[in-house]
Amino acid sequence: MVWPSRSLVKCGVFIVLPIFSIVAASLYFYHRKEKDLDDYSCDKEFWSLEVKIPNQSISLVIGRGGENIRNIQAKTNTRINFKTAEADQDYRICRIRGKREDTQLAEQIILEMLNTQKNTITYEMEVPQKSCGRIIGRCGDNIRSISKASKCVITVDRMGAPTSSHRLVTIRGTEDQIAVAKQMIEEKIAEDEEARNRMHATLSSRSPRLKNKNKKYEVGDNKVPSYEKLITSTNDSMLQVYVSAVADPTHFWLQLISPRAVELDHLVDNMTEYYENEENRKLHKLNEVSLGQIVACRVAEDNKWYRVEVCSHEPYREDNRDETTIDVFYVDYGDSAYIKLGDLYQLRADFLSLRFQAIECAMDGIFPNKDTPADKWDEETVEMFEDMVYVGQWKAISAQVVRYKPREKSNRREGSPVPCVKLYDPDGPPGVDIGQQLINKGVAKAAPSESEDDKEVEDSRNEDSVAD
């Protein structure tokens, strides 16, 4: 057997003894510190108080993630913890340790919190559904600020009734706290109303858009840049929209009533001012076009310039190239027209900064009443529908997205699902959507329930919105 040398034994002793000493000293000082804090009578520097906290108030004192306790400890320079409760106790002991005056201050703060809870009441108020977005704010920023400033717990009903114009807001706090929260919410409603009034005042100057009767609204096969999307959120279940163009009751285009609608009007004005200048037109003269190209087009009826997409064109005329007929689609409105090549010009790059505003939609739950294919509507019904939705008249109606359906493969936006909506006229029968009105008039039938396969489109719609 080989015995370790004496030098190795000494080395081991020198290593072990310091480690043992450090551990022993740490345990001693830890227990001594706890003993000093508990036995305040032995040291006048420290004091300890105990407060009984009802079980239902524990979360109030601790706060979310211990926030309240940390704030009290930082403010009073104390240490606060809870003793383990007995099985049959309806309270827990909160122990406060520190200097006498500090522990008394912490006790006072906790007692005030408990007293405030006793005076807590619940108040409910209805707010306009259209104002919920401003009340809640981006990612809930506004509602959190109101809650923090008023010291109230505030919840907004996630979904009101589909046809209701109001949502319920619940506020919990004292009378004074609720008064502060209520005032701040009413200020947000007033801000939203003022912003909407300014927007409507701007949009009210729009001229009615003339309907083009010489061709049906068609959809080309080419991809185009990004369009505006009709996506609801928890902030608002109903959307305010204009119907800008109609092919039939199951194929039409909407514009969202939003700041982007005002931006579109400014864009049209800027394009009109630019292209009315003959020198500018010379710079952007077109000798040919390509399918899917976005160009500038002048509409003779209102003498304004718009963004259009080239869908198709006939062979270029050898005798007069400018007279070649081009099939174009108005990307911000949804209607189509045949235009001469000489009336189209290259689009200045900065005029593409705004998303295309025409949102292709379908009415949910209806199909033609007559013995025709499911997607064929007679002209009389189409005209009736146009009158009911005020097409091109820029009168606001409400839209509710019910589901999404796959888009036809031949469509220029292949892969992007089509919103199926219910439309409501504020001046029409309360709670009755326009599709149901068509059924009541005998010009449409209720469609059978869609298969569950259509629900898969929801995933692609969410992925599409994230990608943008």
Side-chain angles (χ1 to χ4, degrees):
M1 179 179 294
V2 179
W3 294 95
S5 66
R6 183 174 300 177
S7 60
L8 289 176
V9 172
K10 289 182 179 180
C11 182
V13 171
F14 284 124
I15 293 174
V16 172
L17 283 179
I19 294 175
F20 177 78
S21 302
I22 292 171
V23 173
S26 299
L27 291 173
Y28 171 78
F29 283 114
Y30 174 78
H31 288 293
R32 178 60 184 269
K33 185 177 182 180
E34 291 294 319
K35 183 174 183 299
D36 288 345
L37 287 171
D38 289 340
D39 191 10
Y40 59 86
S41 59
C42 298
D43 190 341
K44 296 181 181 179
E45 183 71 14
F46 292 96
W47 193 259
S48 178
L49 289 176
E50 293 185 348
V51 182
K52 289 184 178 180
I53 309 295
N55 287 339
Q56 65 269 23
S57 302
I58 298 295
S59 59
L60 172 70
V61 176
I62 295 176
R64 177 175 292 182
E67 181 181 9
N68 291 349
I69 282 291
R70 287 196 298 272
N71 290 341
I72 296 173
Q73 289 182 140
K75 185 176 181 179
T76 61
N77 196 29
T78 57
R79 293 179 61 190
I80 302 173
N81 57 23
F82 284 86
K83 289 185 177 180
T84 303
E86 299 294 336
D88 57 345
Q89 282 185 347
D90 58 356
Y91 64 89
R92 288 184 65 183
I93 297 296
C94 174
R95 184 167 60 176
I96 311 169
R97 293 174 292 180
K99 293 182 179 180
R100 180 192 292 265
E101 60 272 19
D102 293 336
T103 58
Q104 291 174 343
L105 177 58
E107 179 188 31
Q108 179 183 349
I109 293 174
I110 292 174
L111 293 177
E112 286 177 356
M113 293 174 67
L114 296 177
N115 186 54
T116 299
Q117 187 184 42
K118 293 179 182 178
N119 298 325
T120 297
I121 59 176
T122 300
Y123 176 81
E124 294 181 345
M125 64 183 294
E126 286 191 335
V127 300
Q129 183 145 242
K130 61 185 180 182
S131 301
C132 287
R134 187 173 290 267
I135 293 171
I136 296 173
R138 185 177 180 84
C139 300
D141 287 346
N142 290 349
I143 201 71
R144 281 195 295 270
S145 296
I146 295 172
S147 181
K148 186 174 182 179
S150 63
K151 298 181 180 179
C152 289
V153 177
I154 305 173
T155 56
V156 180
D157 189 17
R158 291 180 63 85
M159 289 290 288
T163 57
S164 174
S165 60
H166 288 76
R167 298 257 288 274
L168 188 67
V169 175
T170 304
I171 310 172
R172 294 189 71 251
T174 64
E175 289 188 5
D176 292 339
Q177 291 170 345
I178 289 174
V180 173
K182 183 181 176 184
Q183 180 181 353
M184 295 180 73
I185 291 173
E186 289 173 345
E187 288 174 357
K188 290 297 180 185
I189 295 173
E191 289 175 12
D192 182 71
E193 190 65 28
E194 183 181 354
R196 288 180 183 272
N197 288 339
R198 288 198 304 268
M199 182 173 62
H200 283 295
T202 302
L203 297 175
S204 63
S205 61
R206 279 185 172 184
S207 301
R209 190 168 178 81
L210 299 177
K211 295 179 289 184
N212 189 347
K213 292 293 186 180
N214 65 351
K215 83 184 285 284
K216 287 292 183 179
Y217 304 103
E218 298 176 356
V219 179
D221 339 324
N222 303 288
K223 294 182 179 179
V224 297
S226 178
Y227 278 76
E228 189 63 89
K229 297 181 183 298
L230 193 68
I231 299 175
T232 57
S233 66
T234 56
N235 290 353
D236 209 346
S237 62
M238 299 291 283
L239 299 166
Q240 296 298 301
V241 299
Y242 295 132
V243 178
S244 56
V246 168
D248 58 54
T250 52
H251 192 193
F252 50 89
W253 287 263
L254 305 178
Q255 282 185 6
L256 280 172
I257 300 179
S258 70
R260 284 182 176 173
V262 178
E263 291 178 34
L264 175 60
D265 287 349
H266 291 326
L267 174 66
V268 170
D269 290 340
N270 292 337
M271 286 180 61
T272 300
E273 181 182 359
Y274 181 78
Y275 286 102
E276 282 299 307
N277 186 306
E278 185 176 357
E279 294 299 320
N280 292 336
R281 291 201 302 273
K282 289 179 180 179
L283 291 173
H284 298 281
K285 178 68 176 176
L286 285 169
N287 292 319
E288 61 181 22
V289 292
S290 58
L291 298 184
Q293 183 178 357
I294 307 300
V295 298
C297 172
R298 178 178 175 274
V299 175
E301 287 83 354
D302 61 5
N303 292 318
K304 291 186 178 181
W305 290 75
Y306 300 92
R307 301 185 298 184
V308 298
E309 178 188 0
V310 176
C311 297
S312 66
H313 63 81
E314 64 180 11
Y316 294 112
R317 295 180 57 172
E318 295 181 1
D319 58 330
N320 190 346
R321 202 175 183 88
D322 285 349
E323 290 299 312
T324 303
T325 300
I326 311 295
D327 180 8
V328 299
F329 174 80
Y330 290 85
V331 294
D332 294 306
Y333 298 90
D335 48 352
S336 301
Y338 292 116
I339 304 294
K340 300 300 182 183
L341 177 59
D343 294 326
L344 301 179
Y345 293 85
Q346 290 178 337
L347 189 68
R348 205 175 71 186
D350 59 306
F351 290 145
L352 278 172
S353 60
L354 180 67
R355 273 186 171 187
F356 301 149
Q357 295 299 298
I359 305 171
E360 187 178 356
C361 295
M363 185 74 75
D364 184 66
I366 63 170
F367 68 99
N369 191 23
K370 297 184 178 180
D371 296 330
T372 58
D375 60 344
K376 300 297 181 183
W377 295 80
D378 62 85
E379 187 173 346
E380 183 180 349
T381 302
V382 172
E383 290 182 353
M384 180 187 298
F385 178 71
E386 289 176 340
D387 292 337
M388 295 173 74
V389 298
Y390 311 101
V391 60
Q393 303 302 307
W394 314 124
K395 178 174 179 180
I397 62 175
S398 298
Q400 179 189 18
V401 179
V402 178
R403 61 187 178 89
Y404 293 82
K405 71 175 185 179
R407 191 179 296 272
E408 296 179 3
K409 291 184 178 180
S410 61
N411 193 279
R412 61 167 55 84
R413 297 183 63 201
E414 182 179 345
S416 177
V418 177
C420 297
V421 303
K422 290 184 182 293
L423 299 178
Y424 296 89
D425 180 3
D427 298 331
V432 181
D433 69 279
I434 291 174
Q436 184 61 49
Q437 292 181 46
L438 290 175
I439 294 174
N440 295 343
K441 291 178 182 292
V443 297
K445 289 182 179 179
S449 299
E450 296 290 336
S451 66
E452 293 297 319
D453 293 340
D454 284 344
K455 292 183 179 179
E456 296 178 4
V457 181
E458 180 72 15
D459 294 334
S460 65
R461 189 266 302 182
N462 290 334
E463 292 173 1
D464 193 24
S465 63
V466 170
D468 284 346

